[in-house]
Amino acid sequence: MLRLAEEPTQRKMPGERLTVRGTSEIGRYPGAAPPTRVELSIQKEGEKKQEEGGCRRWFRKMCPCCCKRQNSTSIDVTDKVELVKPPTPGPEPVKPKAENGEAKEMEEIKLSVRSVDLLSSKTGQNRQEHHTDLYHDDELIIRRGQTFQMELELNRPFSADTDKLHLDLRTGPLPMVSKGTHVIIPLVDHLEDERWEAKIVEQNGNKIKLSVNSPANAVIGLYGLSVTTCSIKGEGATTHNSSKNIVMLFNPWCEEDTVFLDDEEERKEYVLNDTGRIYYGTEKQIGARTWNFGQFHEGILDACLFILEKSDMPPSGRGDPVNVVRVISAMINAQDDFGVLVGNWSGNYSDGVSPAAWSSSVEILRKYHSTDGVPVSYGQCWVFSGVTTTVLRCLGIPARSVTNFQSAHDTDVSLTTDVYFDENMEPLDYLNNDSVWNFHVWNDCWMARPDLPPGNGGWQAVDSTPQETSQGTFRCGPASVNAIRSGQVYLKHDTPFVFAEVNSDKIYWQRNLDGTFSQIHSEKKAVGHYISTKAVGSDERADITHLYKHQEGSEEERIAVETASRYGSKPDVYSTPVAEDVSVEVKMEGEGPRMGADAKLSILVKNLSSQPRRATLHSQVAVMYYTGVLKGTIKKEQMPVELSPNEEKTIEWILPYQQYQNQLVDQAALMLTLSGRVSETQQVLANQTTFRLRTPDLNITPLGEAVVGKEMAAKITFTNPLPRTLKGVVFRVEGLGLQKGHEVVVGDVGGHSTVTLTEHFIPSQPGPRKLVASLDCKQLTQVHGVANVVVLEK
């Protein structure tokens, strides 16, 4: 057993495996180190190799600035967890401590701000950490959900005992606190996630440095800044207006932002890459052209913000990327709102620029902005798509240009491509409005969709080319690509239209003598071929057809087509089921599958008829983020089902541990999708079930009597549920009124080993208290525990 008494200047001795670090209540910034003693034992030996590899998730969430600086007398937890040896603590910023006479004199000198430095240099900490150093602009460009720094020069030293200070950020023509467009940022002692706050992190004479935090759902756009100072009593308020503005963008690097993209290479491609490839031609002769997106070029950020201002969207709506993308889709075309580009397919471009002549978004956007919003002539689909990619990437939304070959244009929401003939098989041109384009280019953008059922986040189709109106405006999307693939066309926005583009059947109709029409032929593989986008990290073409549709001709693809058509204007194109008397249900035992073991679910299939029924169930299970975004499919299989009259049958479904062990993400959520068709009746069977793999709790047992000022202990035990070693395990322990939060670096924990940690502490406040603990490592998350402790008066 290892026993360690911690002191603020403790150093790790050779061979020791345990480190305790003092933290603030939040863990963002250092606080006072607690007087604590820790005992650790690991019952079953795991691997001896020490790799104090810390959890990447904690590291990512931490304030980046604190990873480089210690301003406290405690050990700074924001250093990487794998550093078992604590850094030498730095000195605490000295607050001016005045004698009574000096304090009175300071109070008499009214505090005011002389200047504000937003630290907006492209090579500075703010722009580098926020991944905005590529923007040409010299304003402070930041991403929401992440801290940033600024410096204030005051007319005298700031004293927390006598002075108050807060920041005001305003965006839009009529800033309002209730709408999130006027933000009042208070000064606090400790920064917390998901709120607007500021903290003094350095003080040097009349200068103070602030670390400012923003929530991950903040409104994006251009903010004006002012700083208000007054006495602690609220007297003598003065306000200083900053001469420079702040630009807030979406943040694909922030887990809490709905545009979060959990792959650095994809973020480099879909946010930071300013050039790309757009595909055109025919499916047998695919051409590629390089396009300069230029989202960081001089004037482009201003032009993108101008487009947002010119739209009718209220600034309060700019916190939601679904709203922003929908507005951008409308504003890139000039059809009904004096947007960026005029579409022209006539072949006559004499009074403008031919669509084929453009190879860059930069000139188009700068021209639109410099003329105060005069639409630029001319564009066709690839130009609309290229400009849309530029604007979305510029605002921080991951985006790519996508080309669909043999792309259908459905004009009557039938979800079919219809061709009409008269009695003599002559085409009826006045009815043949549907068409199939050789190719059509639109966009994918990445975001969670909390407004839709789980599983519909991820890539969303958005089309700025003016084809059909959506809610009265020429725009299209964002439509969930997962919903398109499964035929769930009832989910917003404009899913039916995109579904028809990639997966509609071509239906041939002939007019009868009585004027009605009969279906005479159908082509099931006529549209949606070689859906293409530029590959991540190279100029190769990536085929993403499988994201938009199941394999052509497969039963899943046919089910999706028929499911979609039932929500269209011609629901009877496909034969309706003779009966719907088979049901499918997924059940789980108790609290559900546990982490580290095979995941087992039961599929209950019922035949409610007096006739036998046969079907084939197709199952696939995908890893899912808690936001509803699917990461990827990890298992697919087919299950034949035969049911006797009125029979109920239970099918055991198993996902072996080996198939998911390296695939899971935070929350360990999975989605099981079932689909099938009953042979006798053509009834479609469908079911989607979300479940998670339960993680073990930390067991916390208080030891001894809980009395203010008297040392007590608590035993924390944890058993590794996995048959593999957990690397770089970190415990975090905290109890308000019991002890301050701190980290305990345990190191490696072998498969199925049990860790026992004994915490010694001295309660400081009486009454009911809670001691909480959590375990963190890359292989296992969401492990925590709590113990109720009633502390008696001394």
Side-chain angles (χ1 to χ4, degrees):
M1 181 175 286
L2 178 69
R3 191 177 178 91
L4 180 67
E6 181 192 304
E7 296 173 2
T9 57
Q10 167 205 339
R11 296 182 181 275
K12 178 179 176 291
M13 301 301 291
E16 290 178 355
R17 294 189 57 199
L18 176 66
T19 299
V20 183
R21 301 192 183 120
T23 78
S24 70
E25 285 86 339
I26 304 309
R28 247 177 202 285
Y29 289 95
T36 185
R37 193 166 79 256
V38 178
E39 300 168 14
L40 171 75
S41 69
I42 301 180
Q43 291 175 1
K44 181 181 174 184
E45 251 335 280
E47 296 178 17
K48 291 291 184 184
K49 183 184 175 187
Q50 293 187 31
E51 289 185 20
E52 290 82 11
C55 173
R56 182 165 62 87
R57 182 169 64 82
W58 278 108
F59 182 71
R60 183 165 51 223
K61 276 186 158 184
M62 294 171 187
C63 172
C65 68
C66 296
C67 299
K68 300 179 182 178
R69 179 180 284 111
Q70 286 80 40
N71 294 322
S72 169
T73 55
S74 76
I75 299 162
D76 189 346
V77 306
T78 53
D79 282 316
K80 291 184 180 178
V81 174
E82 56 261 36
L83 297 177
V84 176
K85 181 175 180 181
T88 306
E92 179 113 14
V94 180
K95 291 182 181 176
K97 205 165 187 179
E99 300 296 330
N100 287 341
E102 289 178 27
K104 192 171 182 184
E105 188 179 325
M106 282 181 69
E107 273 191 83
E108 287 172 0
I109 302 174
K110 193 163 64 173
L111 183 69
S112 62
V113 177
R114 284 182 177 164
S115 65
V116 176
D117 185 351
L118 293 179
L119 307 176
S120 59
S121 164
K122 281 183 255 186
T123 58
Q125 182 182 343
N126 280 335
R127 297 278 294 270
Q128 295 277 333
E129 290 175 352
H130 285 252
H131 305 94
T132 60
D133 50 306
L134 295 173
Y135 287 89
H136 185 277
D137 309 64
D138 62 356
E139 288 178 315
L140 177 57
I141 306 167
I142 54 174
R143 299 188 188 274
R144 62 187 194 174
Q146 191 172 334
T147 54
F148 61 96
Q149 322 295 311
M150 66 172 68
E151 289 182 350
L152 306 180
E153 185 179 356
L154 308 171
N155 63 329
R156 63 167 172 78
F158 179 86
S159 169
D161 298 327
T162 59
D163 300 323
K164 283 178 71 177
L165 179 153
H166 75 261
L167 312 177
D168 284 88
L169 287 176
R170 294 177 173 86
T171 186
L174 190 64
M176 295 174 67
V177 172
S178 60
K179 301 285 189 183
T181 51
H182 175 196
V183 181
I184 301 170
I185 306 175
L187 208 56
V188 297
D189 293 329
H190 304 285
L191 292 179
E192 297 185 23
D193 287 336
E194 290 301 289
R195 60 180 68 183
W196 283 104
E197 287 176 331
K199 177 183 188 290
I200 297 176
V201 290
E202 282 182 23
Q203 184 161 350
N204 186 7
N206 291 3
K207 288 187 175 181
I208 58 174
K209 187 174 187 178
L210 299 180
S211 186
V212 186
N213 193 41
S214 66
N217 62 352
V219 169
I220 63 127
L222 190 68
Y223 285 86
L225 168 70
S226 62
V227 186
T228 299
T229 55
C230 62
S231 72
I232 203 83
K233 301 170 186 173
E235 299 167 348
T238 64
T239 298
H240 175 89
N241 294 313
S242 170
S243 60
K244 284 195 170 185
N245 295 318
I246 295 174
V247 180
M248 179 73 77
L249 304 176
F250 292 106
N251 194 350
W253 284 265
C254 173
E255 284 188 41
E256 285 74 30
D257 197 321
T258 46
V259 303
F260 172 65
L261 182 58
D262 190 19
D263 186 299
E264 181 59 23
E265 291 307 307
E266 290 187 356
R267 288 191 292 248
K268 286 178 182 174
E269 181 67 55
Y270 299 134
V271 184
L272 300 181
N273 194 351
D274 57 4
T275 60
R277 305 272 275 176
I278 297 179
Y279 298 93
Y280 66 96
T282 67
E283 61 181 298
K284 293 180 180 177
Q285 294 171 301
I286 296 176
R289 61 183 301 163
T290 298
W291 192 270
N292 177 19
F293 298 122
Q295 66 267 33
F296 306 118
H297 201 281
E298 183 180 2
I300 297 304
L301 178 58
D302 289 340
C304 294
L305 295 174
F306 172 73
I307 291 168
L308 285 182
E309 292 291 338
K310 204 168 185 310
S311 74
D312 291 330
M313 178 175 59
S316 57
R318 295 179 195 162
D320 183 356
V322 176
N323 286 346
V324 171
V325 164
R326 194 146 171 78
V327 165
I328 295 301
S329 168
M331 285 299 298
I332 298 303
N333 69 73
Q335 202 75 3
D336 41 23
D337 46 19
F338 297 101
V340 177
L341 272 165
V342 180
N344 185 344
W345 288 263
S346 70
N348 179 10
Y349 315 115
S350 56
D351 55 345
V353 176
S354 165
W358 301 113
S359 59
S360 167
S361 306
V362 172
E363 186 184 347
I364 294 168
L365 287 168
R366 291 179 69 174
K367 188 173 183 181
Y368 181 70
H369 186 204
S370 65
T371 57
D372 201 29
V374 175
V376 178
S377 300
Y378 289 105
Q380 290 182 8
C381 64
W382 65 91
V383 189
F384 288 109
S385 173
V387 174
T388 300
T389 300
T390 300
V391 176
L392 295 182
R393 288 186 184 179
C394 185
L395 296 177
I397 299 174
R400 62 191 185 188
S401 290
V402 172
T403 303
N404 177 37
F405 292 94
Q406 292 298 102
S407 187
H409 181 174
D410 175 24
T411 57
D412 60 358
V413 204
S414 64
L415 289 104
T416 54
T417 302
D418 299 297
V419 183
Y420 294 93
F421 298 92
D422 64 14
E423 298 85 348
N424 300 315
M425 289 302 292
E426 293 291 331
L428 293 168
D429 291 340
Y430 73 96
L431 287 178
N432 290 333
N433 298 314
D434 289 355
S435 57
V436 177
W437 299 17
N438 283 342
F439 72 96
H440 180 48
V441 190
W442 62 74
N443 294 84
D444 282 346
C445 60
W446 180 274
M447 66 182 72
R449 289 298 297 271
D451 57 323
L452 300 181
N456 289 294
W459 288 116
Q460 314 288 313
V462 55
D463 193 348
S464 301
T465 300
Q467 296 181 87
E468 300 293 326
T469 58
S470 171
Q471 295 176 313
T473 302
F474 280 94
R475 58 187 166 191
C476 180
S480 165
V481 172
N482 285 336
I484 293 162
R485 186 172 188 257
S486 59
Q488 293 175 302
V489 296
Y490 45 83
L491 297 175
K492 61 184 183 181
H493 292 281
D494 309 309
T495 314
F497 185 80
V498 185
F499 179 90
E501 288 182 299
V502 299
N503 208 13
S504 57
D505 285 351
K506 200 169 188 179
I507 309 291
Y508 294 82
W509 304 84
Q510 184 177 16
R511 188 167 61 193
N512 301 316
L513 292 173
D514 61 0
T516 61
F517 284 87
S518 297
Q519 184 178 333
I520 56 171
H521 179 60
S522 68
E523 281 185 67
K524 295 181 170 60
K525 301 179 182 179
V527 305
H529 300 163
Y530 299 106
I531 303 175
S532 303
T533 191
K534 178 187 169 304
V536 173
S538 79
D539 282 339
E540 296 300 309
R541 183 181 69 87
D543 192 309
I544 57 169
T545 309
H546 63 283
L547 298 181
Y548 274 87
K549 58 201 290 191
H550 292 282
Q551 185 175 353
E552 200 74 72
S554 67
E555 189 170 42
E556 296 124 298
E557 187 259 348
R558 288 290 89 204
I559 288 171
V561 171
E562 293 179 29
T563 300
S565 72
R566 285 173 194 155
Y567 295 92
S569 59
K570 295 177 182 172
D572 301 324
V573 167
Y574 302 96
S575 57
T576 52
V578 177
E580 297 195 353
D581 46 28
V582 177
S583 66
V584 177
E585 187 181 355
V586 176
K587 295 195 168 185
M588 62 179 70
E589 275 190 34
E591 295 180 327
R594 299 194 73 85
M595 177 76 78
D598 294 349
K600 298 179 181 178
L601 299 176
S602 298
I603 302 171
L604 183 63
V605 189
K606 294 182 184 178
N607 178 9
L608 305 175
S609 77
S610 56
Q611 302 293 322
R613 295 286 184 252
R614 288 178 301 114
T616 298
L617 277 180
H618 303 268
S619 77
Q620 68 174 47
V621 64
V623 173
M624 188 170 75
Y625 292 92
Y626 74 95
T627 54
V629 175
L630 296 180
K631 182 190 176 192
T633 300
I634 55 176
K635 183 188 179 189
K636 293 178 77 169
E637 62 182 337
Q638 294 182 12
M639 295 168 281
V641 182
E642 294 192 14
L643 297 168
S644 301
N646 298 302
E647 182 185 7
E648 290 186 14
K649 188 172 279 187
T650 299
I651 304 168
E652 293 300 323
W653 180 86
I654 298 175
L655 176 64
Y657 166 73
Q658 287 74 17
Q659 284 193 259
Y660 73 73
Q661 63 175 340
N662 297 316
Q663 304 293 329
L664 298 179
V665 291
D666 286 356
Q667 316 288 332
L670 297 154
M671 176 178 276
L672 174 63
T673 300
L674 300 172
S675 64
R677 190 199 304 274
V678 179
S679 301
E680 292 82 1
T681 63
Q682 298 303 297
Q683 177 191 351
V684 167
L685 305 175
N687 181 284
Q688 280 192 321
T689 302
T690 301
F691 64 98
R692 70 182 182 90
L693 299 166
R694 290 184 55 77
T695 49
D697 292 328
L698 293 180
N699 293 314
I700 306 177
T701 308
L703 305 173
E705 191 178 23
V707 180
V708 172
K710 179 182 175 183
E711 182 177 299
M712 65 172 295
K715 185 170 73 174
I716 304 170
T717 57
F718 160 74
T719 300
N720 177 5
L722 305 183
R724 59 195 261 193
T725 298
L726 300 179
K727 303 282 189 180
V729 171
V730 177
F731 278 43
R732 305 184 83 250
V733 187
E734 180 183 10
L736 296 176
L738 298 174
Q739 70 168 359
K740 289 191 175 181
H742 65 280
E743 289 183 355
V744 181
V745 177
V746 176
D748 298 348
V749 178
H752 301 301
S753 296
T754 298
V755 177
T756 302
L757 185 73
T758 304
E759 289 276 315
H760 297 263
F761 52 91
I762 300 172
S764 59
Q765 293 180 20
R769 299 286 157 194
K770 290 184 184 294
L771 184 68
V772 295
S774 63
L775 174 145
D776 212 356
C777 74
K778 188 172 183 180
Q779 301 96 330
L780 196 63
T781 62
Q782 298 298 319
V783 178
H784 39 74
V786 62
N788 293 310
V789 180
V790 178
V791 181
L792 304 175
E793 289 278 10
K794 190 171 182 180

